[in-house]
């Protein structure tokens, strides 16, 4: 068995978790100065969640016909990503048009994300052991500032984002780019992620794969620690 010399981590649901829909909507309301009573806020937040409008949150219960094609390619460029998620949000009536863009902007801020409790510890230990690490994410915007704000970027050697390459997981070509960024053969790389289809696609290139559960941070205190048992 090849020794693991590098680890690639997915972003959302793996290293960090997006905030709940209610706090997401509340932050957008605060940013725009729009008022909404708590009962309506809770109802609209639940509707936004069912619509799949929160990136990193639940998938849509039902995709509108006009957005189904966009859903499949949403992470290949920034414009598609924004169009898809603002389009999903517009399925829910909100009291001001500017809220739809404010919601999208909110999810790109560091305040909207919480690292899993063991993320920094595991990354720091991998760095101490000389294991190369990187983030490989299907995403439509630059998440590096979020990683820096939460103190995780200092432990990473690379960051490969789907929209910057016009490719999205499970395309083997994106995994190949990420392995090249680490300077390692795929057989020496472990992919860690919560999506068994997208992240698990790394095995087609010869990488190992470790699944984690996409749970609220308080319910997954040590989901990343098994990584340390798999590397030297």
């Amino acid at each position: 068995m090849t020794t693991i010399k590098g680890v690639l981590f997915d972003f959302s649901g793996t290293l960090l978790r997006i905030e709940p829909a209610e706090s997401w909507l509340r932050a957008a309301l605060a940013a725009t100065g729009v008022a909404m009573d708590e009962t309506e806020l809770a109802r609209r937040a639940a509707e936004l969640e069912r619509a799949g409008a929160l990136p990193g949150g639940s998938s849509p219960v039902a995709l509108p016909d006009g957005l189904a094609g966009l859903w499949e390619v949403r992470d290949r460029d920034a414009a598609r990503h924004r169009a898809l998620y603002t389009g999903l949000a517009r399925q829910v009536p909100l009291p001001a048009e500017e809220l739809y863009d404010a919601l999208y902007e909110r999810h790109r801020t560091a305040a909207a994300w919480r690292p899993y409790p063991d993320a920094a510890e595991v990354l720091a230990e991998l760095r101490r052991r000389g294991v190369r690490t990187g983030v490989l994410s299907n995403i439509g915007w630059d998440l590096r500032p979020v990683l820096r704000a939460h103190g995780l970027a200092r432990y990473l050697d690379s960051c490969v984002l789907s929209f910057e390459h016009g490719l999205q997981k499970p395309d083997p070509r994106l995994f190949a780019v990420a392995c090249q960024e680490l300077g390692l053969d795929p057989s020496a790389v472990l992919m860690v992620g919560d999506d068994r289809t997208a992240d698990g696609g790394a095995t087609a290139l010869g990488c190992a794969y470790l699944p984690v559960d996409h749970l609220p941070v308080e319910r997954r205190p040590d989901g990343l620690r098994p990584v340390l048992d798999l590397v030297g």
Side-chain angles (χ1 to χ4, degrees):
M1 180 177 177
T2 304
T3 301
I4 298 298
K5 298 178 181 177
V7 184
L8 293 168
F9 292 90
D10 176 47
F11 174 72
S12 174
T14 300
L15 287 177
L16 299 96
R17 167 89 178 200
I18 192 66
E19 66 186 329
E22 281 195 27
S23 64
W24 174 54
L25 177 54
R26 185 173 283 108
L29 290 165
T32 55
V34 177
M36 185 181 288
D37 69 53
E38 286 297 313
T39 300
E40 184 184 7
L41 189 153
R43 182 172 68 252
R44 297 306 186 193
E47 291 172 357
L48 287 163
E49 190 161 20
R50 286 194 296 273
L54 174 58
S58 303
S59 296
V61 172
L63 268 172
D65 290 341
L67 295 177
L70 202 53
W71 175 263
E72 296 302 321
V73 296
R74 65 193 182 277
D75 295 316
R76 293 186 192 173
D77 70 58
R80 287 172 178 167
H81 194 270
R82 178 183 282 272
L84 183 276
Y85 283 104
T86 55
L88 290 171
R90 283 189 169 89
Q91 307 305 304
V92 178
L94 295 176
E97 174 65 23
E98 60 264 32
L99 279 168
Y100 299 109
D101 281 329
L103 285 168
Y104 189 82
E105 293 305 322
R106 168 65 183 184
H107 101 276
R108 301 198 303 174
T109 67
W113 295 88
R114 289 178 62 194
Y116 281 94
D118 56 347
E121 173 191 340
V122 168
L123 289 173
E125 176 60 18
L126 290 172
R127 171 59 61 94
R128 188 191 70 79
R129 295 185 189 183
V131 176
R132 294 185 63 77
T133 59
V135 163
L136 172 55
S137 178
N138 277 355
I139 200 161
W141 50 276
D142 187 359
L143 54 77
R144 294 176 184 89
V146 175
L147 293 171
R148 287 195 294 269
H150 287 291
L152 302 181
R154 72 187 75 170
Y155 305 119
L156 298 168
D157 298 295
S158 69
C159 190
V160 174
L161 310 179
S162 61
F163 83 101
E164 293 181 339
H165 298 274
L167 302 167
Q168 61 190 55
K169 297 177 288 185
D171 191 322
R173 293 174 295 175
L174 192 60
F175 292 109
V177 169
C179 290
Q180 289 165 9
E181 289 286 318
L182 291 183
L184 295 170
D185 187 88
S187 63
V189 174
L190 170 68
M191 178 72 211
V192 182
D194 65 296
D195 188 323
R196 286 159 174 76
T197 299
D199 300 314
T203 58
L205 195 67
C207 300
Y209 171 57
L210 176 69
V212 294
D213 294 323
H214 189 160
L215 295 171
V217 291
E218 61 274 7
R219 291 176 52 199
R220 211 195 77 192
D222 53 8
L224 295 172
R225 289 204 177 94
V227 172
L228 300 178
D229 297 328
L230 297 175
V231 302

